[in-house]
Amino acid sequence: MNKDHAITLYDLILASGITLSPFVWRVKLAILHKGFKLNAVPTSYMQIKTILDGSHTRLPVIVDGETVVSDSLAIADYLDRAYPDRPSLFRSPGERNFALFLDGWMFQNVVRHWFSCYCLDQVHLSCPEDVEYIRESRERLFLQGRPMEEVVADREQRLMAVRPNLEPLRMLLKDTRWFAGDEPDHIDYLMLSHFLWCASLATFPPLARDDPLFDWINRGFDLFGGIGRDDRLHPLS
Amino acid sequence: MNKDHAITLYDLILASGITLSPFVWRVKLAILHKGFKLNAVPTSYMQIKTILDGSHTRLPVIVDGETVVSDSLAIADYLDRAYPDRPSLFRSPGERNFALFLDGWMFQNVVRHWFSCYCLDQVHLSCPEDVEYIRESRERLFLQGRPMEEVVADREQRLMAVRPNLEPLRMLLKDTRWFAGDEPDHIDYLMLSHFLWCASLATFPPLARDDPLFDWINRGFDLFGGIGRDDRLHPLS
């Protein structure tokens, strides 16, 4: 494989073309961390069934030569297994467990609250062919059938109330530059993916301007030529 | 240093002689993991001021040849730094961050609740010279001045209510043998130390008999010749 080796990633996007899915964001970061070129194929929810052999129902999916891999964690494992001589995504099994634990913690304590604040933004920002599906499926699966307009009504107060939940991350980042130590790896990408997802939707910012988390967020958004510095992303404060 | 090299550990004990402090438990496990002999010096709270040069106010403290180190995390870092050729306690900076995050999570979601259920056991089980200090300081610092008898009154119900808080640990341990992967390291010792602390006090068990966590707890308590298989420890279910 030469250094111009590109990996194709089916990217789940909003109407603007920016990536939505946190699971795709982390795979983008992973591919770039391994030093590959990224060949992103913009895909809407409705287009997923049209890609490759038509068997896929979720993204991300990558194609690397003859190899097709789906599921963001399986993709990270594949990249480390197939390319052990390139920078590791997980430097030990303990790091992989950290990433899984943090990811679950982040969904439980932060992301599910943010979702209930930004679900209507997703409807407004989605690709036209996705709008009806997004509204119907999200209200049914995640919002107990409540209309999104009702769910987001008091979001400014609820976003304020979520801020203290991030305190364990602020505490940890007082004494370490990245979650992975001196240099980022997939632990950081996985956490950054949640903030990138949030920035893709947040028409009202979730964080205070002086949140100490921005030291890490800003360094993360600057990675790989500024992956989080896209005009189509919304400010987080 | 030969293989019979022993490290002295000032051990914080209950009247039975069993270790109380989770910070001491994790250092015991760390010293054994590094392959050293453990020279534990039983110490009550009231005796702390009498050890070494009299400057210490907390345990654990270790003495390794000419070197004195206090604070459990500083001790783990010292052991890895001083003995890099012996098995690592933290296999990467990311693992060290995992340990710190999990430890904070465990205190916040589990240990502080357990403490409010077992504080009176600590008074009853403490070394005679510690009893008055333990009751007074704990009620003042951690229990808002409430008498312990009142705090523990409804503990059977509250212990039941804590069990679901452990679910993220059960989820993670479904797919990994240890928190550190295939073999335990300080991430596991740190978590085991909370269960060993609990077992030193729990005159009423905190967990259900069929808790899937026991697969990991039992393997952990069996380490180093059965460090958690001491008759002075209480059953956790």
Side-chain angles (χ1 to χ4, degrees):
Chain A
M1 301 287 183
N2 63 46
K3 66 178 179 174
D4 291 331
H5 178 145
I7 290 180
T8 296
L9 166 66
Y10 289 90
D11 185 2
L12 190 64
I13 58 161
L14 295 169
S16 69
I18 193 73
T19 300
L20 166 70
S21 162
F23 304 104
V24 173
W25 276 116
R26 63 188 65 174
V27 168
K28 278 192 167 182
L29 287 155
I31 290 170
L32 295 168
H33 177 87
K34 297 297 278 192
F36 294 113
K37 288 199 168 180
L38 177 64
N39 175 28
V41 182
T43 316
S44 68
Y45 279 97
M46 291 304 114
Q47 287 172 329
I48 296 174
K49 61 180 177 290
T50 71
I51 67 170
L52 298 169
D53 64 0
S55 71
H56 294 279
T57 56
R58 292 179 182 188
L59 298 182
V61 172
I62 66 162
V63 184
D64 180 27
E66 301 295 305
T67 307
V68 177
V69 189
S70 59
D71 181 89
S72 62
L73 185 61
I75 292 169
D77 288 338
Y78 162 76
L79 291 172
D80 269 352
R81 196 172 56 242
Y83 303 102
D85 296 338
R86 291 173 177 246
S88 296
L89 288 164
F90 296 123
R91 294 172 190 138
S92 73
E95 289 209 356
R96 188 176 183 276
N97 285 335
F98 185 20
L100 295 179
F101 188 83
L102 261 185
D103 199 35
W105 179 89
M106 187 73 185
F107 269 109
Q108 183 64 26
N109 292 279
V110 179
V111 168
R112 68 188 180 99
H113 303 296
W114 281 352
F115 178 74
S116 72
C117 297
Y118 297 125
C119 55
L120 189 58
D121 290 311
Q122 188 182 348
V123 170
H124 293 153
L125 294 167
S126 279
C127 298
E129 65 266 34
D130 288 343
V131 168
E132 188 179 331
Y133 162 74
I134 291 297
R135 179 183 281 270
E136 190 280 323
S137 62
R138 271 51 188 164
E139 288 184 351
R140 178 166 47 81
L141 296 173
F142 303 126
L143 303 171
Q144 291 87 44
R146 293 170 65 204
M148 287 186 180
E149 285 76 4
E150 181 189 313
V151 170
V152 302
D154 59 345
R155 74 172 179 175
E156 297 185 21
Q157 288 69 40
R158 287 191 296 111
L159 285 169
M160 292 275 282
V162 177
R163 292 178 186 176
N165 297 10
L166 291 158
E167 196 57 23
L169 304 184
R170 295 185 194 104
M171 290 291 292
L172 192 62
L173 289 167
K174 274 184 189 173
D175 295 314
T176 185
R177 193 164 160 77
W178 301 95
F179 288 102
D182 291 338
E183 298 292 337
D185 70 12
H186 209 53
I187 309 167
D188 289 278
Y189 304 149
L190 203 143
M191 292 300 279
L192 284 168
S193 77
H194 291 297
F195 290 89
L196 288 161
W197 163 80
C198 185
S200 80
L201 296 177
T203 61
F204 185 88
L207 302 178
R209 282 190 187 280
D210 62 353
D211 193 317
L213 273 180
F214 277 112
D215 176 59
W216 169 80
I217 292 171
N218 284 330
R219 279 185 284 109
F221 280 26
D222 284 342
L223 289 170
F224 307 117
I227 195 166
R229 303 306 184 187
D230 189 296
D231 287 343
R232 295 167 294 183
L233 293 174
H234 300 83
L236 292 175
S237 71
Chain B
M1 301 289 185
N2 64 44
K3 68 177 180 175
D4 291 330
H5 179 143
I7 289 179
T8 296
L9 167 66
Y10 289 90
D11 185 4
L12 189 64
I13 60 161
L14 295 169
S16 69
I18 194 72
T19 300
L20 165 70
S21 161
F23 304 104
V24 172
W25 276 116
R26 64 187 66 174
V27 168
K28 279 192 168 183
L29 288 155
I31 290 171
L32 296 168
H33 177 87
K34 296 297 279 191
F36 293 114
K37 287 198 170 180
L38 177 64
N39 175 28
V41 181
T43 316
S44 68
Y45 279 97
M46 291 305 114
Q47 287 172 328
I48 296 174
K49 59 180 179 291
T50 71
I51 66 171
L52 298 170
D53 64 359
S55 72
H56 294 279
T57 57
R58 293 180 182 186
L59 298 181
V61 171
I62 66 162
V63 183
D64 180 26
E66 301 295 304
T67 307
V68 177
V69 190
S70 60
D71 181 89
S72 62
L73 184 62
I75 293 169
D77 287 337
Y78 163 76
L79 291 172
D80 269 351
R81 199 172 54 241
Y83 302 102
D85 295 339
R86 291 173 178 248
S88 296
L89 288 164
F90 296 122
R91 295 174 190 134
S92 73
E95 288 208 356
R96 187 174 183 278
N97 286 335
F98 185 20
L100 295 179
F101 188 85
L102 261 185
D103 199 35
W105 179 89
M106 188 73 185
F107 270 109
Q108 182 64 25
N109 292 280
V110 180
V111 169
R112 68 189 180 97
H113 303 297
W114 280 352
F115 177 74
S116 73
C117 297
Y118 297 125
C119 52
L120 188 58
D121 290 310
Q122 189 182 346
V123 170
H124 294 153
L125 294 167
S126 280
C127 298
E129 65 267 35
D130 288 344
V131 167
E132 189 180 330
Y133 162 74
I134 291 297
R135 179 184 281 271
E136 189 281 324
S137 63
R138 272 50 191 163
E139 288 185 350
R140 179 166 47 83
L141 296 173
F142 303 127
L143 302 171
Q144 292 87 44
R146 293 171 65 203
M148 286 185 181
E149 284 75 3
E150 180 188 315
V151 171
V152 303
D154 58 345
R155 74 173 180 176
E156 298 186 21
Q157 289 69 39
R158 287 189 295 112
L159 285 168
M160 291 276 282
V162 177
R163 292 178 186 176
N165 296 11
L166 291 157
E167 195 58 23
L169 304 184
R170 297 185 193 104
M171 290 291 291
L172 193 61
L173 288 166
K174 275 185 188 173
D175 295 315
T176 185
R177 191 163 162 78
W178 301 95
F179 287 102
D182 292 338
E183 299 292 338
D185 71 13
H186 209 53
I187 308 167
D188 289 277
Y189 304 150
L190 205 143
M191 292 301 279
L192 285 167
S193 78
H194 292 297
F195 290 89
L196 288 160
W197 162 80
C198 186
S200 79
L201 297 176
T203 60
F204 186 89
L207 301 178
R209 281 189 188 281
D210 60 352
D211 193 317
L213 272 180
F214 277 113
D215 175 57
W216 169 80
I217 292 171
N218 285 331
R219 279 185 283 108
F221 279 26
D222 284 341
L223 289 171
F224 307 116
I227 194 164
R229 302 304 182 191
D230 189 298
D231 286 344
R232 297 167 294 182
L233 293 173
H234 299 84
L236 292 176
S237 72

